[in-house]
Amino acid sequence: MQIILLGAPGAGKGTQAQFISKHLNIPQISTGDMLRTAVAKKTELGLKAKDLMEKGELVPDNLILDLVQDRISETDCANGFLFDGFPRTLEQANALKDRQIKIDCVIEIIVDDKEIIQRMSGRRVHSASGRTYHIKHNPPKQENIDDETGEALIQRPDDNEETVKKRLSIYHEQTYPLVEFYKGLSSKQSSTNYVEISG
């Protein structure tokens, strides 16, 4: 099964991707992780990407697509894969289609923006362990204190309300068109199914 998981930041893609990946025994593929691995392994594509990143330039779509094709040809992808955070743009989605990389199902996790802002801005983290709390849904026993160590909890900079609003704005502008693209593909009786799930 070859899956794309879509949804705004904070919709729960990462959490659901882990469940799906484990249930179907397929790897969860994130382009960020893939880039870091290729750079660490010093592959030819990884070295090209590293050079661009060190210059502060964006890694172009054709290089990302080459990395994706390399990654999905590995043996652990024999039963399929789950793309988490890829494709991000219509150009990348069209390039996947042009390269005949088959996608069986696109799953969109739908969560209202107000709920996402509340979820993310209420998140608190214990830096050393990565343990997460939520001031409303999963509060620590003592406000802003980790239950296990007694150390202070922090709010990550990207969980700040203004930052969350900016990330949502970018999502709606750049990534949401993918929803229309894949809905359109699905309605044309292609082999790609499109599913909406409430998050």
Side-chain angles (χ1 to χ4, degrees):
M1 175 80 70
Q2 300 177 175
I3 300 170
I4 292 173
L5 202 53
L6 294 178
K13 292 187 304 296
T15 302
Q16 296 308 317
Q18 289 175 6
F19 291 138
I20 295 167
S21 175
K22 188 174 181 180
H23 180 71
L24 296 177
N25 193 29
I26 57 175
Q28 175 184 350
I29 298 173
S30 136
T31 49
D33 293 345
M34 198 175 52
L35 273 169
R36 286 185 285 277
T37 301
V39 168
K41 286 183 174 178
K42 297 181 179 172
T43 67
E44 183 183 338
L45 292 171
L47 292 172
K48 284 182 188 173
K50 182 176 188 245
D51 185 49
L52 290 166
M53 291 187 297
E54 284 177 351
K55 292 177 186 171
E57 296 175 24
L58 287 174
V59 179
D61 284 346
N62 65 333
L63 184 51
I64 294 284
L65 266 293
D66 289 345
L67 281 164
V68 164
Q69 254 181 321
D70 273 6
R71 177 65 186 92
I72 64 176
S73 68
E74 292 180 22
T75 54
D76 66 334
C77 293
N79 296 325
F81 50 80
L82 185 149
F83 285 139
D84 174 13
F86 178 82
R88 286 193 189 277
T89 64
L90 280 177
E91 290 77 16
Q92 290 175 348
N94 276 307
L96 272 180
K97 190 176 164 209
D98 292 345
R99 290 183 183 215
Q100 298 178 339
I101 296 172
K102 185 175 167 282
I103 302 298
D104 297 307
C105 189
V106 178
I107 303 169
E108 182 191 6
I109 301 175
I110 299 173
V111 180
D112 182 72
D113 281 6
K114 278 174 34 180
E115 171 67 19
I116 287 175
I117 292 164
Q118 191 257 345
R119 276 185 193 180
M120 294 180 77
S121 63
R123 187 163 44 190
R124 299 295 181 268
V125 180
H126 178 246
S127 298
S129 68
R131 261 187 304 282
T132 58
Y133 299 86
H134 191 278
I135 57 175
K136 184 177 176 186
H137 303 298
N138 179 32
K141 292 172 188 161
Q142 188 179 343
E143 189 177 343
N144 286 324
I145 300 294
D146 179 55
D147 290 349
E148 293 186 29
T149 65
E151 295 169 346
L153 300 176
I154 62 156
Q155 182 183 42
R156 292 188 302 215
D158 59 343
D159 286 343
N160 171 285
E161 186 170 335
E162 287 311 306
T163 306
V164 173
K165 286 178 179 175
K166 186 174 181 185
R167 290 173 68 198
L168 285 169
S169 171
I170 291 168
Y171 168 75
H172 291 303
E173 193 177 299
Q174 295 179 1
T175 311
Y176 193 76
L178 291 171
V179 169
E180 297 307 314
F181 175 83
Y182 284 113
K183 277 184 179 176
L185 265 186
S186 180
S187 69
K188 292 175 186 165
Q189 274 105 38
S190 76
S191 60
T192 302
N193 291 307
Y194 185 85
V195 181
E196 290 181 356
I197 295 174
S198 170

